[in-house]
Amino acid sequence: MWSWFVTVLLVAWLAMGAWQRYKPLPDGIGRAFPERPAEGLRFLADETWYAPSGERHARRRIFDEVMALIGQAERLVVLDMFLFNDFAGSADARDFRPLSAELTEALVDRRARHPTLEAVVITDPLNTLYGGLELEHLERLRGAGVRVVVTDLTRLRASNPLWSGAWHLGPRWLGNQSEGGWLPNALGTGRVPLRSYLALLNFNANHRKTLVVDRGKGWTGLVTSANPHDASSLHGNVALRFEGAAALDLLASERPVAGWSGVGLPGPEAPDGAGAPVEGARLQVLTEGAIRDALLAAIRASGPGDRLDVAVFYLSHRALIEALVDAHRRGAVLRVLLDPNRDAFGLEKNGIPNRPVARELHAAGVPVRWCATDGEQCHSKLLLRLPAAADGEAEMILGSANFTRRNLDDLNLETSVRLVGPAETQALRDASAFFARRWHSTPQRITSEPFAAHDDTSTWQRWRYRIMEATGLSTF
């Protein structure tokens, strides 16, 4: 009898895990929107560098722009941000900018000045430890009339099916509560129930970082790699601000996610752009798997003399790595700038996945450098393709998606934008200059380190990375 019972449970576990991994995607996921005229472009970056004495210098622009856009909105603000809290983990919080409080204040103030303003904040349940905490700033937003949407991640496919099969059979249905927690909050203060950690092990996320606002009679969008998270305020990040029909595409990309929680987003629909040719610089909104397809297409389109610049927090996706090596062999000029994966909010990381991947790229002849960091992270997710031909078109892809299986294979929610146009397009020139500043370190302005500075990968680390990437048993 017991053997039959255990067998049934095992079969149910495996069947549920397989279903959660391969179930149909919700409508609106993994979408490539039409190419639109690139209007009102502005490339933005948060940068950090070091003096010879070790003193940190920083220039922060992204959330200044976010606050300014919210501060002029009169009809609609839709903000989707992965981390929106003041959790600091084990890090020293003295140097952090209070981004979560500033953003909360900006939204509350704008609603007070314009009571008819529709404001919606979409965020990931990690901020509440999956229902195990109540956050004061989210409650304050609700009290000010801002609709707060905590994303229903159960709609997504399983990133870690080995655990998710069991979780969907049992712990999921227990719910959670913000009172009576007895375990420490690993991300910050307070205590949380065991159920918070059971939910965390699914490793799914709404990892998007987007903003849509009205601006005058038109619409403005912003896509970034930055979070309004105090402990992330020192990170290096990139963003692109834009206007016009692409901003309405960005709004359309958020409607399904809000709709999962029964919240409808107001605002106009984007015009039908299917098949309409666009002259000059073009902008395209991409989500989830469509980001992967665009990255692969850009790399595979690179020929002899074309330049490929990559600056990314996590690089582990096997198809992308193989495509980069193939582009190098075809004669494309590659530069890969990676975070050393050693710091995470006061905790020391083990260098996975970037160090094993960097060793693989270096062995294939691809130039690799490390961002110079001291507690902060090189958090950008950026690819630039610059043509060898004077009359060729350049291409840039940036946004929330790391170059990993979880971020690119329809497991997380992600948003990036693709800009294609003449190389002299100002946003493309600014992005290229940003990359050059980080790549070319000088004794007076230390921004990066040579590959040898973190070439310490063991055989076990290489195998561990490959297993973690293949199975989803990882946080990257």
Side-chain angles (χ1 to χ4, degrees), residues 44 49 64 118 140 176 203 206 353 355 381 386 413 418 426 448 453:
L44 304 160
W49 65 96
D64 289 346
E118 293 269 8
R140 187 167 177 233
N176 208 347
F203 296 136
N206 176 359
R355 297 192 199 186
K381 301 93 167 61
L386 303 173
L413 293 174
R418 171 177 173 264
Q426 189 61 52
S448 64

Side-chain angles (χ1 to χ4, degrees), residues 140-163:
R140 187 167 177 233
L141 288 173
R142 291 186 176 105
V146 177
R147 287 185 289 175
V148 177
V149 178
V150 178
T151 309
D152 179 6
L153 298 180
T154 63
R155 301 293 189 102
L156 300 178
R157 287 175 175 168
S159 175
N160 179 11
L162 189 64
W163 165 248

Side-chain angles (χ1 to χ4, degrees), residues 51-69:
S53 63
E55 180 185 3
R56 178 194 285 132
H57 296 269
R59 180 170 56 198
R60 302 285 178 251
R61 292 182 172 175
I62 294 173
F63 276 99
D64 289 346
E65 185 71 15
V66 169
M67 307 299 180
L69 288 173

